[in-house]
Amino acid sequence: MGIKIYNTLTKRVEAFEPLEPGHVKMYVCGPTVYDYFHIGNARPFIVFDVVRRWFEYRGYRVTFVQNITDVDDKIINRAAAEGVSPQAIAERYTQAYWEDLERLGVLPANYQPKATEWIPKMVEFVQKLIDKGYAYVLEGGDVYFRVRKFEGYGKLSGKSLEELEAGARVEVDERKEDPLDFALWKAAKPGEPKWPAPWGEGRPGWHLECSVMAMGLLGETLDIHGGGQDLIFPHHENEIAQSEAATGKPFVRYWMHNGLLKYQGEKMSKSLGNFEYARDVVERYGKEAVRYFYLSKHYRTPVNFTHEAMEDARRAVERVYHLLEELDQELDRRDGHTAELNVEKLTKRGRTYLAYLERAKREFEEHMDDDFNTAAALGVLFELVKEANVFRQDVAEEDLPLLKRTFELIRELGAPLGLFQESPWRQAHGEVQAQLVELLIEVRKELRRKREYELADRIRARLRELGIELKDKGEETVWSYASTGAGVEGG
RNA sequence: GGCGGCGUCGCCAAGUGGUAAGGCAGGGGCCUGCAAAGCCCUCAUACCCCGGUUCGAUUCCGGGCGCCGCCUCCA
């Protein structure tokens, strides 16, 4: 039935058809590298990471571009404040950006172009707009885009020129032909980074880079362009104007915008000062809790950040890992890892359960296809966890392959969400350590047999302090790495 | 003021024209030497309010109220 997407441009959910069959070309606005990104900034990174993974899950080839804005007022200001070069700031935070994405489990984009590496292309692009009469040069060397000349300005944000004019704030630059016009090129000021251009040295305006790099890497018409809702106006509106003015072709076919993160009821924002760095939140709750936190909501709705919610998310993720661990160890105990699934041999109960597994998978996929409804999909996944927990209580020998199938299915469905792929078990921490733990379990088993509970409990308590959790099941004991703090993440 | 979004259990959050998934928290029980995990039972009868359409609306329409975002750099 295919993937459906809510398109900001049409304000409707539409069936997705890529321009080139089987190949999705998507672009998402990346960071301005002047600081670590905050937990709110992490939302689009995670959301579009999942969009990308879902297309791949569905068999599409995806070319995903995410830019890095490494020349900008904020970088220049920060550099001045620290007394270092803008380049040094940009390099430092570009590096940090990559590190943080990795910590969030976000797959790297296929292309991560830096604005400073595309300046000549941008200059060409501006020249083209000037030649076509869509842009004009002011005396000092600033170049502006002539908004009124572009028919359809406002189609993305739903704004009319009249409204915009009425709402226009006091305009600093009186030399502009029209208050609505926006900067394509900023003339160099003393001490600022600058590049040569036919109309004078300077640097590109913010909107310009996205258009130039997106079209440079993906072609004149993109399938998908994404970003936060706060970018709809003016950023994306301006991108459309300049791109379509230059090429005469539709710039983007599906515009996707994620909702924003609130913090204590207000928008989380650097300028308001009410934010927490993504890296700190990941450190505290683990990457999967952060991903779960976002994915348990629809990507277009606003969400409120609280530590309670992060803690809940952490526990929810833990619940799934507990099941995986139980399944794995049950398979170990009963030599079930190699058993082949053969429907003929299953018990009646097993067949019913298998049918359920298949239905769950289908429902999960349908929800994901429906405008990436990760919240509903996760609902299906947790229902599966529940059913699996019931099923595994009493499994006939013939049905053992279903335990394996359950384990695999959770991994399979978790993969496009970037969840449940970790190994919180022994292999994540090395064989020797695992054998040591098992040795202690052996000793403790003996102690319990002798009813020397005091010592047995001390072993359990001390291991707990080391992040290793023991759970007794009658005579046997299963163990896992505890997930408080960084535990589940393999810490 | 203009544009857009949102208002579902204590908290988070899907969803549907025929009385509502899931997670977290809570209560009772089973299991256990104890614990942890798990299981079973329980946990929305005004789905913001008021009208309307309908045999029937939380779901559609209209009007309110409240909250949020954008209109300025911002994911």
Side-chain angles (χ1 to χ4, degrees), chain A residues 16 22-27 48-49 51-65 109-111 218 224:
Chain A
F16 175 77
H23 184 187
V24 180
K25 295 170 189 172
M26 61 186 281
Y27 181 95
F48 291 103
D49 179 53
V51 168
R52 178 257 189 98
R53 287 171 188 248
W54 187 249
F55 277 122
E56 287 171 350
Y57 179 97
R58 280 308 203 186
Y60 287 94
R61 180 183 150 217
V62 178
T63 304
F64 178 29
V65 179
N110 300 292
Y111 297 95
L218 296 172
I224 293 175

Side-chain angles (χ1 to χ4, degrees), chain A residues 276 281-286 288-294 296-297 304-319 382 464 483-486 488-489:
Chain A
E276 300 200 22
V281 177
V282 173
E283 171 83 11
R284 185 158 164 190
Y285 300 101
E288 300 208 32
V290 175
R291 294 182 73 99
Y292 177 87
F293 170 75
Y294 279 124
S296 65
K297 287 111 183 133
N304 200 23
F305 178 90
T306 63
H307 286 283
E308 292 70 31
M310 290 309 307
E311 187 57 34
D312 287 354
R314 211 208 84 234
R315 270 195 280 265
V317 170
E318 195 173 308
R319 178 171 155 79
F382 275 91
R464 185 73 188 71
S483 44
T484 33
V488 153
E489 310 314 320

Side-chain angles (χ1 to χ4, degrees), chain A residues 43 55 57 94 124 130 134 136 161 203 210 226 266 299 302 349 354 379 390 396 409 461 463 478:
Chain A
R43 189 174 192 185
F55 277 122
Y57 179 97
T94 298
E124 273 175 41
I130 293 172
Y134 280 106
Y136 56 93
L161 292 176
R203 58 195 167 91
C210 285
E266 276 189 311
Y299 75 88
R349 177 173 182 253
L354 179 61
V390 173
L409 184 59
L463 284 173
V478 300

